[in-house]
Amino acid sequence: MITNKIGIYPGTFDPITNGHVDIIERSVMLFEKVIVAVTNNPKKSPLFTVDERVDMIRTVVQGMKNIEVESFNELLVNYALKRNATAIIRGLRATSDFEYEFQMALVNRKLASNLLTVFLMPNEKYTYLNSTIVKELGRLDGDIADFVPKEIHSRIISKLDKR
Ligand code: ADP
């Protein structure tokens, strides 16, 4: 445990998957408080509204200690500093994530030299998983039960059915 340290885990979470949950569970082993920060960037054209994404994450982390869920709509480093975060947490699944994450981490370090970026690897069974594949599968009536938390499974299905 890094005492009194706050980690911020930013992302689109459209929707939260078991891979994201894996990273959250690892993060709370490292930080005293973890803020899951949902980006409100409409450029990403998310399927779920930011409020729906926040609400789904809150449902999933209910019962887990030391986690806050919020949305943000500004430069990540500014938001992180405002929230007194020590580190940005990102998940690394495969080498395909590396180049983009490396660039972001270096840019963020340039912008805020005291803010660390910490990469965590999920359980291998989640290395192929992302929100896009969940939406694609669900849209085509594929079984997504192993990929998303059970508490929000029906919410995802009904959103995809309405489209
Ligand atoms: P972003 O648009 O910021 O990439 P995502 O919601 O796709 O938002 O991902 C947020 C973070 O979670 C990123 O660091 C991403 O690498 C990580 N992540 C996404 N899916 C997984 C997974 N299956 N296992 C581990 N980390 C993941």
Side-chain angles (χ1 to χ4, degrees):
M1 168 86 63
I2 308 172
T3 334
N4 289 324
K5 301 294 184 196
I6 299 173
I8 197 153
Y9 180 34
T12 312
F13 303 102
D14 186 44
I16 185 169
T17 69
N18 288 336
H20 293 125
V21 175
D22 179 295
I23 297 297
I24 294 171
E25 285 169 348
R26 288 175 203 279
S27 302
V28 290
M29 293 185 224
L30 271 179
F31 295 94
E32 207 158 62
K33 182 161 88 179
V34 172
I35 301 171
V36 182
V38 181
T39 172
N40 194 2
N41 181 358
K43 272 199 195 142
K44 290 227 167 189
S45 312
L47 170 66
F48 294 92
T49 67
V50 71
D51 289 342
E52 287 172 329
R53 285 177 278 142
V54 166
D55 196 59
M56 282 191 286
I57 301 170
R58 286 200 177 128
T59 302
V60 171
V61 303
Q62 212 177 28
M64 286 171 73
K65 280 198 178 128
N66 306 327
I67 301 176
E68 286 178 17
V69 187
E70 296 177 352
S71 62
F72 72 105
N73 200 5
E74 61 185 304
L75 195 63
L76 173 62
V77 294
N78 290 346
Y79 173 68
L81 293 174
K82 217 183 278 175
R83 301 296 278 111
N84 295 319
T86 315
I88 294 167
I89 301 156
R90 296 289 288 176
L92 262 195
R93 282 160 287 189
T95 47
S96 50
D97 280 339
F98 181 77
E99 220 164 313
Y100 172 73
E101 294 295 341
F102 188 62
Q103 180 186 29
M104 286 310 298
L106 289 178
V107 168
N108 288 335
R109 183 193 280 174
K110 176 88 184 147
L111 294 172
S113 56
N114 291 333
L115 194 59
L116 304 174
T117 298
V118 171
F119 295 104
L120 296 175
M121 286 185 297
N123 187 304
E124 307 83 77
K125 65 185 178 191
Y126 300 133
T127 49
Y128 59 89
L129 183 57
N130 63 21
S131 301
T132 305
I133 199 81
V134 164
K135 285 178 283 191
E136 285 298 308
L137 259 182
R139 228 189 306 269
L140 299 169
D141 289 333
D143 185 3
I144 60 167
D146 285 344
F147 304 144
V148 297
K150 57 181 181 323
E151 302 89 333
I152 59 163
H153 178 267
S154 59
R155 252 195 271 180
I156 296 171
I157 298 295
S158 64
K159 183 84 174 186
L160 288 167
D161 280 349
K162 276 193 215 126
R163 284 167 55 92

